[in-house]
């Protein structure tokens, strides 16, 4: 039980740290990566909360596909900004 | 200045509401009635080991159909918003540099494995964690890998759209067949429940799961594809 | 345990809302919305959590006869499962509109878009 609690606290610290990085950084790319990291920590937290289905979905969708959607749009906007 | 103060005030009020909610939260020790019903009847009524998938596909199957429809609308709107001007054939829409040897070779090796994992996750949704949505997302990440490895290659729009509409139609068709031959829309008793815990068991759950996976994967792939193929301004 | 994760989720919601309200860049606002989204999901899952119980899967460890006493509430998990998928759809829509706005004005600064302001 205490081990579970410790893991939960670590995960929570990681999530809130990643959220702070995402909010405070200057570069948008770093913010997007930090949001993806937050999703990964969230999926670990879902495993700890005994929700493996949700953890799988979050890992595949939240941290994988969402990050790539952001990078597609970000790369597009960067290239057009240069023109 | 006023703006910052207002934001601070709003967050403070919301935060205090959240704090009282957290302080007053008593973790339940017993399942509530709905959850207890789902837990006790999962074996005899649905025959699925994974209660989450059982709830998602049978008891709340209509909601899942609605959700897949919402996702379809999203994909349609994204392609409507973005695809005023498709990039000409052969030209790379996203303008990414050609990918390296490593990524191309790695994609060739990994793609069948990713597709296999996606199919496994979809078909075993009633036994292990997983199901249509997860498997669909895995399939879509395979499509994403393909797009990354060869940005100038055109995806088969037609194939994606046909897979998407065929699986959607089959989903609704199965539901209607349930109305005709079993208890109601998307009723699980359309097929025999089989042996509890076997791959071919739990009525129509594996079939519906695969259909949802194909539909979700096609929708995500079409969102990615319309983001990738729009011509630069 | 459930209370700790509730607190984590609520903190994430607040952080995300703060970011969405204070950032001027539209892409950063969307990133903040995804953070708040993750927070809502964590809150919902932790509401369904019960101590000393296992995941809602009836295998050899949890015989179906005593399932009601051994598994946690499956309903919030189903809810969150759909919420994550719809969340990706919402994010994709927001990004598509943001890209259209960028094409229209050549900028992503929210203070450039004054059409509906009076």
């Amino acid at each position: 039980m205490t081990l579970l609690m410790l893991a939960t606290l670590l995960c929570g610290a990681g999530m809130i740290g990643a959220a702070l990085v995402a909010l405070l950084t200057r570069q948008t790319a770093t913010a997007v990566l930090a949001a993806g990291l937050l999703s990964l920590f969230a999926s670990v937290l879902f495993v700890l909360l005994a929700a493996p289905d949700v953890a799988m979905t979050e890992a595949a969708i939240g941290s994988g596909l969402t990050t790539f959607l952001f990078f597609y749009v970000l790369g597009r906007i960067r290239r057009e900004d240069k023109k | 200045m006023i703006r910052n103060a207002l934001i601070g005030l709003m967050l403070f009020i919301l935060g205090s509401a959240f704090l009282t909610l957290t302080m007053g939260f008593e973790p339940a020790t017993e399942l509530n009635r709905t959850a207890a019903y789902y837990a006790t009847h999962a074996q005899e009524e649905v025959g699925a080991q994974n209660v989450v998938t059982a709830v998602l596909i049978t008891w709340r199957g209509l909601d899942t159909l609605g959700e897949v429809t919402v996702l379809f609308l999203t994909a349609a709107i994204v392609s409507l918003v973005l695809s005023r001007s498709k990039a000409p054939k052969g030209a790379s829409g996203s303008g990414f540099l050609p990918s390296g040897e490593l990524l191309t070779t790695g994609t060739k090796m990994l793609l069948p494995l990713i597709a296999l994992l996606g199919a496994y996750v979809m078909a075993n949704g009633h036994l292990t964690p997983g199901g249509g949505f997860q498997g669909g997302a895995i399939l879509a990440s395979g499509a994403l890998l393909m797009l990354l490895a060869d940005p100038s290659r055109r995806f088969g729009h037609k194939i994606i759209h046909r897979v998407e509409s065929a699986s959607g139609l089959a989903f609704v068709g199965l539901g209607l067949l349930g109305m005709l031959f079993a208890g109601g829309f998307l009723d699980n008793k359309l097929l025999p429940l089989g042996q509890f815990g076997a791959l071919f068991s739990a009525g129509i759950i594996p079939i519906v799961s695969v259909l949802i996976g194909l539909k979700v994967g096609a929708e995500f792939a079409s969102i990615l594809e319309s983001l990738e193929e729009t011509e630069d301004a | 345990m459930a209370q700790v994760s509730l607190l984590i989720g609520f903190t994430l919601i607040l952080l995300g809302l703060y970011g969405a309200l204070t950032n001027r860049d539209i892409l950063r606002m969307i990133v903040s919305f995804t953070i708040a989204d993750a927070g809502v999901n964590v809150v919902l899952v932790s509401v369904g959590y019960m101590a000393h119980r296992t995941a809602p899967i009836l295998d050899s460890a949890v015989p179906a006869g005593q399932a009601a006493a051994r598994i946690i509430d499956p309903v919030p998990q189903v809810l969150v499962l759909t919420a994550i998928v719809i969340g990706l759809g919402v994010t994709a829509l927001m990004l598509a509109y943001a890209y259209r706005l960028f094409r229209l004005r050549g900028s992503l600064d929210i203070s450039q878009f004054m059409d509906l302001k009076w």
Side-chain angles (χ1 to χ4, degrees), chain B residues 28-211:
Chain B
T29 47
E30 287 290 310
L31 290 180
N32 56 29
R33 274 179 63 197
T34 322
Y37 179 86
Y38 288 155
T40 42
H41 292 73
Q43 184 170 9
E44 72 230 38
E45 246 184 61
V46 184
Q49 284 189 333
N50 189 348
V51 184
V52 174
T53 313
V55 176
L56 193 74
I57 290 182
T58 45
W59 282 305
R60 296 259 68 94
L62 194 62
D63 300 321
T64 307
L65 182 62
E67 187 204 351
V68 176
T69 314
V70 169
L71 212 59
F72 165 70
L73 276 179
T74 312
I77 294 172
V78 168
S79 69
L80 182 75
V81 167
L82 288 180
S83 72
R84 281 271 293 281
S85 48
K86 286 267 184 216
K89 242 188 156 66
S92 162
S94 70
F96 280 135
L97 293 175
S99 55
E101 189 72 25
L102 200 62
L103 187 57
T104 321
T105 318
T107 304
K108 273 180 198 152
M109 276 181 61
L110 279 179
L111 206 57
L113 291 179
I114 291 178
L116 189 67
L117 177 67
Y120 176 84
V121 168
M122 278 194 278
N124 281 289
H126 56 304
L127 304 177
T128 52
F133 291 114
Q134 292 91 332
I138 292 172
L139 283 189
S141 49
L144 173 70
L145 197 59
M146 258 166 78
L147 275 179
L148 283 181
D150 191 359
S152 61
R153 162 141 144 220
R154 279 288 165 271
F155 254 14
H157 290 262
K158 271 193 182 154
I159 297 178
I160 289 184
H161 289 176
R162 275 191 192 144
V163 167
E164 204 262 315
S165 18
S167 50
L169 264 181
F171 189 3
V172 178
L174 265 179
L176 292 177
L177 278 181
M179 274 173 97
L180 282 180
F181 297 109
F185 191 74
L186 275 177
D187 190 23
N188 198 32
K189 299 269 173 31
L190 190 58
L191 291 175
L193 289 189
Q195 198 206 345
F196 185 64
L199 177 58
F200 294 104
S201 67
I204 57 170
I205 287 185
I207 304 172
V208 172
S209 194
V210 168
L211 288 178

Side-chain angles (χ1 to χ4, degrees), chain A residues 52-54 56-57 60-61 64-65 68-69 71-73 75-76 79-80 83, chain B residues 50 93-94 96 121 129-130 134 137 144 147-148 220 224 227-228 230 232-233:
Chain A
D53 289 87
V54 183
M56 265 180 97
T57 321
I61 294 180
L65 289 177
F68 268 99
L69 279 184
F71 272 120
Y72 265 115
V73 175
R76 209 163 247 294
R79 257 179 303 110
E80 290 178 23
K83 279 181 195 167
Chain B
N50 189 348
S94 70
F96 280 135
V121 168
Q134 292 91 332
L144 173 70
L147 275 179
L148 283 181
F220 284 162
L224 285 169
L227 272 174
E228 136 91 24
T230 320
D232 281 1

Side-chain angles (χ1 to χ4, degrees), chain B residues 3 11 14 18 22 25 28-29 31 35 43 49 51-52 56 67 74 77 81-82 84 129 220 231-233, chain C residues 3 6 10 17-18 21 50 53 56-58 64 68 71 73 77-78 82 85-86 88-89 93 97 99-100 103:
Chain B
R3 192 165 161 269
L11 287 180
L14 208 59
F18 284 163
T22 317
F25 177 70
T29 47
L31 290 180
Q43 184 170 9
Q49 284 189 333
V51 184
V52 174
L56 193 74
E67 187 204 351
T74 312
I77 294 172
V81 167
L82 288 180
R84 281 271 293 281
F220 284 162
E231 196 183 15
D232 281 1
Chain C
Q3 253 155 349
L6 261 185
F10 281 139
L17 277 184
Y18 172 77
L21 287 172
M50 291 177 218
R53 292 191 179 211
I57 292 172
L58 315 171
I71 64 171
D73 196 346
Q77 298 194 11
V78 178
T82 54
V85 179
I86 292 296
L88 176 63
L93 262 187
Y97 283 130
Y99 177 63
R100 279 303 282 202
R103 263 193 165 180

Side-chain angles (χ1 to χ4, degrees), chain C residues 8-24:
Chain C
I8 295 169
F10 281 139
T11 316
L12 285 179
I13 296 176
L14 286 181
L15 283 176
L17 277 184
Y18 172 77
L21 287 172
T22 51
N23 271 315
R24 295 195 160 272

